[in-house]
Amino acid sequence: MKINNIHTTFLIIITIMYHSLCFGFQKPKAGTDSIAYYLEKNNSIKAINFSRKKTDLFLENKKYDDYCKGTLEKSELYEQFNDKENALKVLFDALKIADRYKLNENEILIYRKISDLNCQMLQYTKAKKYLSKAEKKALILNNKELLGKVYRTYFKIYSQIKSDSTKYYLDKIIFYTKNTTNKEDIYKNYSNLSQYYIENNQNVLAKKYLDSAAQLAQKIGDKKFISRSEGNLAYYYLLVEKDTDKAIAVFNKIITLFKDGSDASILGNAYINIASAYSEKGDYKNAYQSIENYVALQDDIVSGELKKSTQEIETKYAINKIENEFQEKQAQLDNKQDRNQKILLIFASLFIFAGFIFYFYYQTLLLKQKNKLKDIDNKLQDKIISATLDGQDFERNKISDILHDNVSALLSSVGLHLSAFESGLNKEKIEELKKPKSLLKAAHDKVRDLSHELVPPLLVKFGLNLALKDLCEKNSNSLLAFDYQPKLIKNTRFNNDLELKIYFIISELLNNVIKHSNATKCILNIEKKENQLLITITDNGKGFDVTSISNSNGFGITQIRARLKSMYGSIKIYSRSNNGTSIFIKINL
């Protein structure tokens, strides 16, 4: 509410305040949006926000059963985007509600989901602890469907840790789901049984349940179920029966099923596996063709992923989390404002002659609240920039790992296959193969160089000191010399995250020297004093007006300041025209 003319009559003031109280805080009507719609549009931020609004509305309207179910859905959404921290947080929030209002079935499902997330994070002790709570409640209710779900999670945990208890929980699943008519549950039982018998070398029983799972997957019609069961069957033919022809036939079925590109991961696995089967058979021509198909498919996938990498969901979640924090603080301020308005209205009606006094008090209060919001907004901007940069660092490491561990390894594997294929060719064919081999080597070198640019291997292996020395040497030339003068003890290391952040801050500042200073010499000094890291960058360039950069607040310097602030550090810049520039950075360790 905003009142522009303080000379209006008190009656108008009361009327406007009344309408503000009655109508000013109504919530917007819900739209026709949905989680599925936003996921289809690849807008994860709106999907999460929609899910949060839906669960908040259920909680506000005291629909606690719907709130718990919506929270499970929201948790799965966070899990889908690999944000297990928030997935667990919302589950524990819902657990309090389920416990308070004795929603036993929801409690069981929430405990089971918490256990499953801990299992995914390899926290098996915690996983078993929460699953035990779910089991006890499900036994009290004697709910066979819920007990089947609980024991299926137990089976998953004990299978992963290779425990002797795996068979015990497998028998429990079969017992509690023996009368189920749910085809997906039956399919999962067959898959679990085949997995157990393969691991225990009971091949006859393994084959029986592999066949049953494959037949049921066809009836269900779920392409992923079909590919999973057919893939397991093919591995059985290849590894147990040593029948490469059968394995090749099954892998071809999977390739045909996913030829439309609906799931590139499944199709890629089928190509690489069938190539291995052809190689076992000695059919190197088809093995080579399958590898080429796999490489072409992976090239499309990696190209697409690299283009979208800076907008990956981890960064979006980090920003979204900060925005939620801001919204919560703003809601608290709105609640304060609402209470103050009501108090003002009561006093105004009782003491009409003192109305203007209360009005001016109210305006002062609004101004203070506006200043608080402005202060929160400034802090929020710093946090958003810091979160964005953290997300970029995470993505930088992730892409570097993909290039080094996956793409580079894949190219090396293809090179080995080419070499193996080359051994059976005549001289003319070998000559023809030289060009693709050279192109493959060039691609491998480019991938390696890109990986090193994203995260310098020297920084990871030997630390900040040697990485900065290498950075100065690489940037030095006949026009500009970078002199690195460290005062660190030899082999000094900090934690990886801190070293990475400091490296890229210094890299950005040295780039500014190269681009703008016209300097011929720049000195970089770094030293550790007590619990502080001190960094100095000095050049003999043309300098600049420091006030102009303070006023313009250039985005690069803004990013650096925000990042240093999140690291409990600061930056000071001293410069004058034609008198060089000095930059001092201090970081509390």
Side-chain angles (χ1 to χ4, degrees), residues 59-200:
L59 194 59
E60 183 179 332
N61 294 326
K62 299 182 179 179
K63 295 182 178 180
Y64 301 121
D65 186 68
D66 289 334
Y67 167 75
C68 290
K69 290 174 182 174
T71 300
L72 282 164
E73 185 182 42
K74 180 164 62 174
S75 172
E76 289 175 357
L77 190 61
Y78 278 118
E79 180 188 354
Q80 184 178 342
F81 297 115
N82 202 29
D83 187 356
K84 292 184 177 62
E85 181 183 353
N86 271 323
L88 286 169
K89 180 182 179 297
V90 297
L91 285 172
F92 280 114
D93 289 341
L95 190 60
K96 295 175 186 175
I97 298 297
D99 180 57
R100 185 185 305 164
Y101 297 102
K102 308 301 178 186
L103 304 173
N104 294 321
E105 291 189 5
N106 282 308
E107 255 192 292
I108 294 165
L109 292 171
I110 292 168
Y111 274 130
R112 176 179 172 269
K113 189 62 185 173
I114 292 171
S115 172
D116 184 59
L117 287 168
N118 276 287
C119 180
Q120 291 178 42
M121 295 185 290
L122 308 182
Q123 300 288 328
Y124 297 117
T125 303
K126 284 186 178 180
K128 286 186 279 188
K129 168 188 163 186
Y130 290 113
L131 201 55
S132 174
K133 294 182 179 181
E135 181 188 16
K136 287 177 183 176
K137 288 185 175 290
L139 285 169
I140 292 170
L141 294 179
N142 195 26
N143 187 315
K144 292 185 177 181
E145 181 182 353
L146 290 175
L147 281 166
K149 291 178 184 294
V150 168
Y151 289 125
R152 187 168 283 117
T153 307
Y154 266 125
F155 175 81
K156 177 181 176 182
I157 293 169
Y158 285 105
S159 291
Q160 288 185 15
I161 62 177
K162 307 295 183 185
S163 169
D164 293 335
S165 299
T166 305
K167 182 64 167 62
Y168 171 81
Y169 288 107
L170 181 59
D171 291 339
K172 287 280 190 182
I173 295 169
I174 302 304
F175 176 79
Y176 283 104
T177 61
K178 62 184 176 183
N179 296 322
T180 184
T181 56
N182 186 306
K183 290 182 179 179
E184 289 191 10
D185 282 344
I186 298 170
Y187 167 81
K188 290 174 183 176
N189 287 351
Y190 288 155
S191 294
N192 291 338
L193 284 162
S194 64
Q195 175 190 334
Y196 174 80
Y197 288 126
I198 285 174
E199 288 176 356
N200 288 276

Side-chain angles (χ1 to χ4, degrees), residues 525-544:
N525 172 266
I526 181 168
E527 63 178 315
K528 180 183 176 185
K529 284 188 176 180
E530 297 179 352
N531 281 330
Q532 289 186 334
L533 195 64
L534 306 177
I535 301 166
T536 306
I537 300 173
T538 307
D539 67 65
N540 63 350
K542 63 182 180 181
F544 59 91

Side-chain angles (χ1 to χ4, degrees), residues 172-287:
K172 287 280 190 182
I173 295 169
I174 302 304
F175 176 79
Y176 283 104
T177 61
K178 62 184 176 183
N179 296 322
T180 184
T181 56
N182 186 306
K183 290 182 179 179
E184 289 191 10
D185 282 344
I186 298 170
Y187 167 81
K188 290 174 183 176
N189 287 351
Y190 288 155
S191 294
N192 291 338
L193 284 162
S194 64
Q195 175 190 334
Y196 174 80
Y197 288 126
I198 285 174
E199 288 176 356
N200 288 276
N201 297 318
Q202 298 182 44
N203 296 329
V204 175
L205 287 171
K207 179 63 166 59
K208 171 187 171 183
Y209 288 108
L210 282 170
D211 289 336
S212 299
Q215 291 168 12
L216 191 54
Q218 292 289 345
K219 289 181 182 178
I220 295 171
D222 187 300
K223 288 174 69 176
K224 290 191 176 180
F225 282 3
I226 293 169
S227 71
R228 190 179 303 138
S229 58
E230 292 289 348
N232 291 338
L233 202 54
Y235 283 128
Y236 178 87
Y237 290 140
L238 199 60
L239 300 176
V240 177
E241 293 188 0
K242 308 296 183 183
D243 191 335
T244 54
D245 288 331
K246 280 187 179 180
I248 288 168
V250 175
F251 285 131
N252 272 321
K253 282 173 65 177
I254 297 172
I255 290 169
T256 302
L257 188 63
F258 289 91
K259 198 73 173 180
D260 58 359
S262 56
D263 194 318
S265 176
I266 293 174
L267 183 59
N269 284 334
Y271 277 136
I272 201 71
N273 288 325
I274 201 171
S276 177
Y278 278 129
S279 182
E280 285 278 332
K281 189 180 177 183
D283 186 350
Y284 297 111
K285 180 179 178 182
N286 278 320

Side-chain angles (χ1 to χ4, degrees), residues 483-536:
D483 185 10
Y484 181 48
Q485 299 179 359
K487 296 180 182 177
L488 294 174
I489 299 172
K490 190 177 180 181
N491 299 325
T492 298
R493 293 298 303 262
F494 307 97
N495 72 66
N496 292 340
D497 184 53
L498 180 68
E499 289 189 337
L500 193 66
K501 288 177 180 178
I502 292 172
Y503 179 87
F504 285 112
I505 286 171
I506 293 175
S507 178
E508 178 65 21
L509 292 170
L510 295 188
N511 280 336
N512 285 343
V513 173
I514 295 169
K515 291 177 183 177
H516 308 298
S517 71
N518 290 341
T520 60
K521 186 174 182 179
C522 178
I523 299 172
L524 169 62
N525 172 266
I526 181 168
E527 63 178 315
K528 180 183 176 185
K529 284 188 176 180
E530 297 179 352
N531 281 330
Q532 289 186 334
L533 195 64
L534 306 177
I535 301 166
T536 306

